[in-house]
Amino acid sequence: KAGVTQTPRYLIKTRGQQVTLSCSPISGHRSVSWYQQTPGQGLQFLFEYFSETQRNKGNFPGRFSGRQFSNSRSEMNVSTLELGDSALYLCASSAYLAAEVYEQYFGPGTRLTVT
Amino acid sequence: KNQVEQSPQSLIILEGKNCTLQCNYTVSPFSNLRWYKQDTGRGPVSLTIMTFSENTKSNGRYTATLDADTKQSSLHITASQLSDSASYICVVGIPANQAGTALIFGKGTTLSVSS
């Protein structure tokens, strides 16, 4: 099976602009989670989508939003970009293992730089 | 507060040597503990997943141990190789049926293997 793919891999934007990142999960996986990774904070959970519905949301401002399509592909949007939004954005699709244990498969990430 | 602490923050070892990375957590309730390897600029890749009933799990030269009583885990790397240079992230899962918020991430240990 093909892995999780994310596009674009690299992005440079200016403060105040908006950006849309895309994620295609592993075929058959219906859950997609998004994370922000910065050197100081590590991985922080943004939100999770399951069957086109946002199931959970982390502690991020409303400038961060997402959606999921019927084919499970997901997009993440950040509006009014700030310098602090510079980070590696990771997408993960999940497969149920057993006893409420899910394995998460991460994509390569999108490196966003805000100048 | 649910937290995962890793030590050391960074480590440099010679190729061929063994090393052990530590993880302490204050997460409750506890479901599982994972170790991920993240190469620079890439997404994390799962090395091991252990539930509370498992004390040890191996994946090639990687061996993870778990002491649920003391809430400690370690990742032992045997006969290190240059390709082991990466960030190793300890992640604790809490019982949930939502994959995203069910994981608490440590900030990682950066391992550098030199020749």
Side-chain angles (χ1 to χ4, degrees), chain B residues 27-106:
Chain B
V27 176
S28 182
F30 171 89
S31 171
N32 57 84
L33 187 142
R34 310 141 184 257
W35 284 92
Y36 284 90
K37 177 188 179 188
Q38 185 176 20
D39 292 316
T40 302
R42 307 291 298 273
V45 174
S46 179
L47 293 175
T48 63
I49 298 177
M50 292 180 290
T51 63
F52 66 88
S53 61
E54 296 175 288
N55 300 119
T56 185
K57 184 163 279 189
S58 292
N59 178 358
R61 295 180 296 102
Y62 301 100
T63 300
T65 64
L66 173 64
D67 186 333
D69 292 331
T70 62
K71 298 188 177 182
Q72 295 180 324
S73 176
S74 65
L75 180 69
H76 186 74
I77 303 174
T78 304
S80 61
Q81 300 175 358
L82 296 178
S83 59
D84 292 331
S85 295
S87 177
Y88 291 85
I89 304 172
C90 175
V91 185
V92 177
I94 56 178
N97 60 4
Q98 297 104 351
T101 53
L103 302 180
I104 313 296
F105 290 82

Side-chain angles (χ1 to χ4, degrees), chain A residues 9 31 33 35 37 40-43 45 48 55-57 88 90 94 97 99-104 106-108 111, chain B residues 31-32 34 36 38 41-46 49 51 87 89 94-103 105-107:
Chain A
R9 292 293 312 278
S31 167
S33 299
Y35 296 88
Q37 187 177 32
Q41 296 297 321
L43 274 96
F45 172 71
E48 183 214 1
R55 194 157 66 169
N56 290 291
K57 190 177 190 302
L88 181 67
L90 292 161
S94 301
L97 294 179
E100 295 187 338
V101 179
Y102 290 81
E103 176 62 277
Q104 290 215 325
F106 286 86
R111 171 72 63 185
Chain B
S31 171
N32 57 84
R34 310 141 184 257
Y36 284 90
Q38 185 176 20
R42 307 291 298 273
V45 174
S46 179
I49 298 177
T51 63
S87 177
I89 304 172
I94 56 178
N97 60 4
Q98 297 104 351
T101 53
L103 302 180
F105 290 82
K107 294 186 179 181

Side-chain angles (χ1 to χ4, degrees), chain A residues 1-2 6 25 65 74 81 105:
Chain A
K1 280 186 178 179
Q6 292 186 246
S65 63
S74 177
L81 285 166
Y105 299 87

